[in-house]
Amino acid sequence: MNPLETIHAAVMALRNHKLRSGLTALGIIIGTSATIAMLAVGAGARAQVAAQVQSLGSNLLIVVSGNVNQSGVRLGAGATPTLTDEDAAAIGQEVSSVQVTSSLVSGKIQIVADAANWATIVYTVDAGYLEVRDWGVESGRSFEPDEAKAGAQVALLGQTVAKQLFPDVDPIGREVRIKNVPFKVIGMLAKKGQSTGGQDQDDALIVPLNTGRRVLGSNQAKSRSIAAILVKVRDGESMVQTSEDAEVLLRQRHRLAPLQDNDFTIRNLSAITEAREAGVRTLSILLASVALVSLVTGGIGILNIMLVSVTERTKEIGIRLAVGARRRDILLQFLFEAVGLSVFGGVAGVILGLLAAFGFAHVADWSLIVEPWAVASAVVFSMLVGILFGWYPALRASRFAPIEAIRTV
C-alpha cells in the first residue's frame, strides 16, 4: 500500500466508528482549547497591565511625602507634606538620568460651568506634568511655563469632566469656576482610561501649580510644600539607580541623620509592572500546565481506544497480512488513525479555545491576543501526543502472526 492508500484506510476506519472517535478525541479537544484560551487570556492580561501602567507614564518614579514620627506615632506616606518645589527642581537638575520632574498637589473639588457642576480631582502641577505622564492634548493647547509661573487662571479638562460640564459644546475657550475663581479652558486632554487601581484618569482637571495653591486654600497649598514629585527617567537609564540617586539627594536636602528613616517614599512603577507581569505569567504557566495535563490524559484515552481497536480487528489484520500486506503498512495505518484522532482534536480544540478566549476578552473588555506560535504549538503537541500514545498499539498490531490472528474469534 502506498502512503495515500494507508491514510485512506485509516480515515475510513475512523469514519466507521464516528462516536467512539469523537469521544476519544474529546480529551485532546479539551486540553488544546484550554491551552489556547489560557495563553490568549494570559497575553491579554499582560497587555492590559502594561497599558494601564503605560497610561500613568513610562519610566516613572513617584516621590511621596510623609513617613515621619509625630509624638511617637508613625505616619504613613502622604500623611505629612515633607517635599517642596525646591526638592523637585533639585532632582531634575542634579540627577543626570532624570529627563523631567513635576510637582503635584491635588484635591477633589466641585467644578461649576454655567448651570452644570461636577466633583472631580484637580491636579495643580507645573509645566512638565504632561511630559512626565506621557499625556497628550487632544484639542486646544497646554499651558506654557510662563503661565505656570505667573499663576495664570487656565485649565485643561479631562474627557470625563468635559463630557459632564460641556456635553454638547466645544469646551475650548469656555469658563469653569473652582471655588468661584474663573478659569479659562485652553485644552482638552487625550483619553487615558482607567489606572491600575481602576480609577478613571479622565475624570480630572489640571491647572498651573501656583494658581492651584491659591485656589485649593489648604495649609498645604499655601505653603511651598507639595504632595508628590513625579520623576521621568531618561530612556536607557536605570530606574533603580535613579531612585537611589534621588533618595541620597533628598536625604541630604532634608538633613536626615544616617540612622534616621526617610521622610518620603519613592515608588518605582516599573517594579510594580514587573511584579504584576510576573504574577500574570506565573498564573498563565500554572493554567497552561493544567491544560497540558488534560492533553496527556487525552493521549492516554487514545492509547486505550487504539488497544481496543487492535484487539477488535485482530482477524482483519491477520487476513491483510496473509494476502500480502506488509507489517509497515499495518503499523502506519494504526499510527495514522491515532495521529488523525489527535490532530482532529487539536484543530477542534484550537477553534473552541479561540471562541472561549474571544468570549472572555469581550466580558473582561480586554484585547484578544492570540500568539501564532501558541496555535502552532498546540497543534504540533497534539500530533506528538498521537504519535507517542498511538505507537505502541500500532506496533503491537504490526507484529501479529497472520495464522494466529485469523484464528482469533
Side-chain angles (χ1 to χ4, degrees):
M1 295 176 68
N2 59 46
L4 289 178
E5 291 174 332
T6 304
I7 293 174
H8 181 262
V11 171
M12 293 305 297
L14 293 176
R15 289 186 59 182
N16 291 335
H17 301 86
K18 293 178 183 176
L19 180 60
R20 186 169 70 181
S21 299
L23 293 176
T24 304
L26 193 57
I28 301 295
I29 294 174
I30 294 173
T32 305
S33 60
T35 302
I36 294 296
M38 291 305 102
L39 291 176
V41 169
R46 287 196 298 274
Q48 185 75 2
V49 170
Q52 288 180 338
V53 175
Q54 182 68 29
S55 70
L56 296 176
S58 58
N59 299 344
L60 181 60
L61 297 175
I62 300 178
V63 187
V64 183
S65 60
N67 279 2
V68 295
N69 286 314
Q70 286 187 357
S71 304
V73 177
R74 181 73 173 160
L75 301 178
T80 302
T82 55
L83 299 173
T84 64
D85 287 344
E86 289 74 17
D87 289 331
I91 292 175
Q93 294 168 1
E94 299 183 32
V95 180
S96 59
S97 55
V98 171
Q99 179 176 328
V100 64
T101 63
S102 175
S103 302
L104 172 68
V105 177
S106 63
K108 191 162 188 176
I109 302 177
Q110 199 78 12
I111 309 299
V112 178
D114 298 329
N117 66 88
W118 181 252
T120 188
I121 302 292
V122 174
Y123 292 103
T124 64
V125 299
D126 54 33
Y129 181 75
L130 296 185
E131 181 180 353
V132 172
R133 294 286 314 275
D134 294 328
W135 205 343
V137 177
E138 184 176 278
S139 60
R141 64 175 180 84
S142 177
F143 48 82
E144 303 294 337
D146 291 342
E147 292 176 316
K149 292 179 181 177
Q153 294 174 197
V154 294
L156 302 174
L157 296 189
Q159 300 229 349
T160 299
V161 178
K163 183 178 179 181
Q164 293 297 330
L165 297 181
F166 305 101
D168 301 318
V169 297
D170 184 359
I172 307 302
R174 305 296 291 265
E175 182 180 281
V176 297
R177 295 189 299 280
I178 306 174
K179 293 187 175 181
N180 291 322
V181 177
F183 283 79
K184 180 181 179 181
V185 178
I186 61 172
M188 190 164 69
L189 298 165
K191 187 175 179 58
K192 267 288 188 179
Q194 290 187 347
S195 67
T196 54
Q199 180 186 1
D200 180 7
Q201 299 181 88
D202 299 311
D203 191 1
L205 182 144
I206 297 176
V207 299
L209 183 63
N210 290 337
T211 314
R213 289 181 192 280
R214 299 196 311 268
V215 175
L216 286 179
S218 66
N219 292 331
Q220 173 180 303
K222 288 178 180 178
S223 69
R224 299 295 296 169
S225 62
I226 54 178
I229 301 172
L230 307 185
V231 181
K232 185 178 181 65
V233 181
R234 298 182 190 279
D235 289 338
E237 298 287 351
S238 169
M239 298 286 289
V240 174
Q241 185 60 51
T242 304
S243 176
E244 293 175 354
D245 293 344
E247 180 181 0
V248 171
L249 176 62
L250 289 177
R251 286 187 62 86
Q252 292 174 349
R253 290 183 54 81
H254 294 190
R255 303 180 186 280
L256 299 177
L259 297 180
Q260 189 175 356
D261 292 334
N262 292 337
D263 59 355
F264 56 88
T265 300
I266 300 180
R267 296 169 180 166
N268 184 345
L269 291 193
S270 295
I272 297 174
T273 305
E274 292 172 1
R276 293 196 175 204
E277 288 186 344
V280 172
R281 189 162 49 249
T282 301
L283 182 61
S284 299
I285 292 173
L286 176 63
L287 295 175
S289 300
V290 173
L292 289 177
V293 170
S294 299
L295 276 176
V296 173
T297 304
I300 294 173
I302 290 177
L303 173 64
N304 290 334
I305 293 301
M306 291 305 299
L307 286 173
V308 171
S309 179
V310 168
T311 302
E312 289 178 346
R313 294 155 63 187
T314 300
K315 194 169 185 177
E316 171 195 334
I317 295 170
I319 294 173
R320 291 185 59 191
L321 289 172
V323 297
R326 296 171 294 181
R327 297 189 181 279
R328 188 183 66 178
D329 297 331
I330 303 297
L331 185 144
L332 287 179
Q333 179 182 338
F334 280 91
L335 194 58
F336 282 150
E337 289 183 24
V339 173
L341 284 172
S342 60
V343 170
F344 167 73
V347 173
V350 167
I351 296 173
L352 287 178
L354 291 176
L355 291 175
F358 176 79
F360 190 89
H362 179 71
V363 172
D365 196 23
W366 288 354
S367 300
L368 176 61
I369 299 177
V370 180
E371 304 285 357
W373 66 265
V375 175
S377 298
V379 175
V380 170
F381 190 80
S382 63
M383 184 182 297
L384 292 176
V385 167
I387 295 174
L388 178 64
F389 290 95
W391 178 260
Y392 174 70
L395 184 64
R396 183 181 178 187
S398 66
R399 288 181 175 176
F400 281 162
I403 301 301
E404 294 179 1
I406 292 174
R407 287 176 179 173
T408 301
V409 178

